[in-house]
Amino acid sequence: MNNLMQKLILIVDDDPDSVCMLNEALDTEGFSVLVALSGTQALSILSRITPDLILLDAVMPSMDGFETCKRIKDNPRLTEIPVIFMTGLDSDSNVSQSFECGAVDYIQKPIRIVELVKRINLHIDKSKVMLSTKFLLDSNGLSSFLVDKSCVIKWYTPDAMHLLEQCGFDKMTFSSKIQSVLNPMIQKAEIGKYITIDSNSQSAERITITLSQINDEGFIFAVKRDQNVNKVEILKQKFSLTQREAEILYWVCQGKSNKDMAIILDISPRTVNKHLEAIFSKMMVENRK
């Protein structure tokens, strides 16, 4: 099989014999395999590499599979990776705990390889369909993300995350930081309710977050750049201009002459010229062209 087409599986299990058996079996089936012997090691690998699917042992010392899975799903960059639990535990509480911490499936030990391979392919294919859907949403201007009723991020489109990062909601702290912003909207559950957030970047851009849909999974929010952003303020911050200089530069961008700007801003043409000299100096250009 072409290595570029191989699906990458991360096995997390503290039992070397189990890891060896799975590694050989999956390699024979055409998968590329990474191995972690603890939850901590798995998180270290995931900080650098994103596999297509994770096989996670439930019972491990120090950090068990349930805690490992929670930490994986707390990171929005990793939340879309399907996790299948491998467990010898068959109680209802353990099965329920597997799904509550974010797993998509579980398989009991001793593992039947044929069944495991089918489940792996199924969940990877479903994950890729979901990812394609998110890119399609972005391409149609429908950037969005979903949080559950506890205001925990469940999924997001790539462009939605990019816009949120511009406002300081980085990937690692997204869930905790966004709660205070979204909780009031979730409590009222008003479709169409929105908030505007200023960017922490030098662009002075703003975004609007709108509650667009409520379903059984949780709350879907649409994310857009604010079309009503103050363009004069953008120029002011971008080039370190005074308020008047930014106003003049804005009208220069609209193709207005010095005489026109003097009339619009109710100042003398000579004052316009002085401000233009300062603007050109700050922007390190010779003239308006």
Side-chain angles (χ1 to χ4, degrees), residues 98-202:
S98 299
F99 290 113
E100 286 175 359
C101 66
V104 296
D105 205 350
Y106 77 99
I107 189 164
Q108 286 187 310
K109 295 181 177 180
I111 293 173
R112 297 182 291 273
I113 296 300
V114 173
E115 178 185 353
L116 177 62
V117 168
K118 288 182 179 179
R119 295 194 183 197
I120 287 174
N121 285 322
L122 171 65
H123 290 298
I124 289 179
D125 289 345
K126 287 174 67 176
S127 176
K128 289 183 176 180
V129 169
M130 175 62 77
L131 186 59
S132 296
T133 301
K134 291 174 183 177
F135 278 110
L136 183 62
L137 287 171
D138 276 344
S139 66
N140 285 278
L142 299 173
S143 303
S144 53
F145 63 93
L146 180 142
V147 298
D148 63 17
K149 294 179 181 179
S150 300
C151 209
V152 175
I153 182 72
K154 305 306 292 184
W155 59 258
Y156 58 84
T157 67
D159 193 49
M161 191 70 244
H162 173 70
L163 291 172
L164 289 163
E165 284 183 313
Q166 288 187 327
C167 291
F169 300 108
D170 61 273
K171 291 177 180 176
M172 294 304 295
T173 60
F174 176 77
S175 292
S176 59
K177 291 180 69 176
I178 202 72
Q179 286 183 359
S180 60
V181 175
L182 300 184
N183 264 328
M185 300 170 69
I186 289 176
Q187 295 301 320
K188 294 183 178 180
E190 297 179 19
I191 301 295
K193 189 75 174 179
Y194 70 91
I195 56 172
T196 301
I197 305 175
D198 291 323
S199 170
N200 66 351
S201 70
Q202 295 300 312

Side-chain angles (χ1 to χ4, degrees), residues 200-232:
N200 66 351
S201 70
Q202 295 300 312
S203 66
E205 286 189 352
R206 293 183 296 176
I207 64 170
T208 58
I209 300 177
T210 305
L211 179 56
S212 61
Q213 186 179 342
I214 302 174
N215 58 31
D216 292 338
E217 290 186 83
F219 303 84
I220 298 178
F221 292 87
V223 187
K224 290 185 178 181
R225 288 182 174 83
D226 184 9
Q227 299 301 316
N228 297 317
V229 66
N230 189 326
K231 296 178 181 178
V232 171

